[in-house]
Amino acid sequence: MPYVDRQNRICGFLDIEEMESSGKFLRRYFILDTLEGSLVWYMDNPQNLPEGTSYVGSLKLIYISKVSDATKLRPKAEFCFVINAGMRKFYLQANDKQDLVEWVSALNNATKITVPKSGEQVAHNTAEACVDTLGAAKQVSYKTEIIAGVPIITTTQEKGEGQNGADKSGMRKPPGQLPFYLSRSNQDQSVIKAGYCVKQGAVMKNWKRRYFLLDDNALSYFKSDMEREPLRIIPLKEVNKVQECKQSDLMMRDNLFELVTTSRTFYIQSDSPDEMHGWIKAISGAIVAQRGPGRSAASFFVATHPVHVQPNHVSLQTSLIYIYCWNDQKDSLP
């Protein structure tokens, strides 16, 4: 689902047909910025890309005339909608029906806000490209002309080779599709939740996109959903706590949650607030199911508390041992 980030921009993942009429949709991270009057898309969330990485494409809001549902126009593209921008139509795929409705509404509302007033001159933009595609060997060039007050965009150069060489890892897959080795008939474990998230490394503290898979016994993550061997398996019995990260402001990360284990704290970033809460709920539920009622993501711990006693003026220090059971509140057992 689209969400509002720290800069009050609407963000989220969508799949876009970058090459017109190609039928090939690629996964991109979109940012709708009404203050800048633009819709830009990146290969991934900019927070996960090297500093200074530019966007893959952009579209000025003043050129958008209408955004609407396109499921009937593209029956093979599930949850598809279209952005009409002059002579060019951009087809995008949302993650589900609600995601589609929210993006269409947000884009139409943003367009209404940024439409120039009557009489306002926009002719100085005639040489400006409506679409700016970067990262290709040859760039797509467009010419914008104002005819009867309407911006008309025409292609002045053939599409570059880089368009065909787009990252195949960005290809759209059906929602909730499991890795190929788990989708076969020999699947011997119950998958509770699966999907891509971004995690912080243990040593370099860099952020990398990984495919996470939660089953009844562990949370595993892979380099991609096509890998057979996980990079790491985190047994649920070692998880002490899973919660929304309290340091998200310091880390400047949206939708961040933490998984505290006996040996390490994992910082994991989801694509949206709904996804973050979904992972927290799923992991917590799996832990409760494994350990039984009354034992949530925090296990037992033992603490000592010094008590001073002075019988017959003789100083004596003893320790009382308290055992706490953490399940949203602490209960002491003498």
Side-chain angles (χ1 to χ4, degrees):
M1 300 299 168
Y3 70 96
V4 180
D5 69 358
R6 302 170 189 275
Q7 301 178 49
N8 204 33
R9 304 174 302 180
I10 298 176
C11 309
F13 280 95
L14 292 168
D15 302 294
I16 182 171
E17 185 186 49
E18 290 187 335
M19 290 183 63
E20 194 171 4
S21 301
S22 67
K24 184 178 180 181
F25 286 81
L26 300 173
R27 192 76 165 166
R28 299 290 182 251
Y29 186 84
F30 283 75
I31 297 178
L32 174 60
D33 192 335
T34 55
L35 293 179
E36 293 293 331
S38 64
L39 175 69
V40 298
W41 52 96
Y42 295 80
M43 294 291 291
D44 194 3
N45 188 329
Q47 294 178 348
N48 307 324
L49 297 173
E51 187 175 354
T53 302
S54 187
Y55 49 79
V56 177
S58 69
L59 176 63
K60 292 188 177 298
L61 299 183
I62 59 172
Y63 297 120
I64 298 178
S65 58
K66 185 180 179 182
V67 183
S68 57
D69 190 322
T71 51
K72 293 183 179 179
L73 297 175
R74 292 291 185 88
K76 293 184 179 180
E78 196 174 20
F79 311 121
C80 184
F81 65 95
V82 59
I83 299 177
N84 293 277
M87 297 296 291
R88 174 75 193 270
K89 291 184 177 181
F90 295 87
Y91 287 93
L92 301 98
Q93 280 185 274
N95 298 304
D96 52 41
K97 184 64 177 179
Q98 185 179 351
D99 194 32
L100 183 154
V101 171
E102 292 185 10
W103 271 110
V104 170
S105 176
L107 287 166
N108 277 324
N109 289 337
T111 303
K112 292 176 184 176
I113 295 173
T114 57
V115 170
K117 297 179 180 178
S118 58
E120 187 173 341
Q121 296 297 321
V122 292
H124 62 279
N125 291 326
T126 54
E128 187 174 4
C130 172
V131 178
D132 180 16
T133 306
L134 302 178
K138 296 180 181 179
Q139 294 192 11
V140 182
S141 177
Y142 291 89
K143 178 177 68 176
T144 304
E145 299 175 309
I146 306 300
I147 301 176
V150 178
I152 304 299
I153 301 94
T154 56
T155 305
T156 59
Q157 179 181 332
E158 293 297 325
K159 293 179 174 61
E161 297 172 358
Q163 293 288 321
N164 295 324
D167 183 9
K168 293 183 179 179
S169 63
M171 290 293 290
R172 178 180 175 86
K173 294 187 177 183
Q177 178 174 319
L178 298 174
F180 73 97
Y181 62 90
L182 285 178
S183 60
R184 297 182 180 181
S185 58
N186 63 350
Q187 180 177 342
D188 59 354
Q189 58 184 333
S190 174
V191 176
I192 299 172
K193 187 174 176 61
Y196 278 95
C197 291
V198 177
K199 64 170 286 293
Q200 187 186 56
V203 180
M204 300 299 293
K205 302 301 180 184
N206 53 347
W207 296 82
K208 292 185 178 180
R209 196 163 183 82
R210 296 291 183 241
Y211 188 82
F212 284 79
L213 189 147
L214 173 67
D215 60 42
D216 295 332
N217 300 308
L219 176 68
S220 308
Y221 58 86
F222 305 74
K223 190 172 183 180
S224 75
D225 60 351
M226 295 302 294
E227 297 293 326
R228 180 179 293 272
E229 296 296 330
L231 296 173
R232 181 161 184 161
I233 299 175
I234 308 170
L236 295 181
K237 63 182 181 181
E238 296 181 4
V239 178
N240 294 330
K241 188 187 299 183
V242 56
Q243 64 181 10
E244 186 171 354
C245 183
K246 306 300 182 183
Q247 303 181 52
S248 58
D249 290 336
L250 294 176
M251 294 187 176
M252 295 300 292
R253 293 265 162 179
D254 297 313
N255 317 316
L256 191 67
F257 67 95
E258 57 187 12
L259 189 76
V260 183
T261 70
T262 53
S263 60
R264 174 185 166 189
T265 297
F266 294 85
Y267 294 101
I268 305 171
Q269 182 184 20
S270 302
D271 292 341
S272 69
D274 289 342
E275 271 293 297
M276 177 190 69
H277 292 301
W279 275 109
I280 294 174
K281 182 177 179 180
I283 296 171
S284 298
I287 291 173
V288 171
Q290 184 187 71
R291 299 178 185 175
R295 300 184 183 182
S296 60
S299 184
F300 293 100
F301 73 95
V302 178
T304 61
H305 179 69
V307 177
H308 298 277
V309 184
Q310 288 184 317
N312 300 324
H313 304 285
V314 178
S315 177
L316 176 67
Q317 178 174 318
T318 62
S319 294
L320 297 180
I321 300 179
Y322 294 93
I323 302 177
Y324 294 91
C325 176
W326 233 354
N327 185 17
D328 298 330
Q329 61 181 4
K330 298 176 181 177
D331 298 320
S332 62
L333 301 175

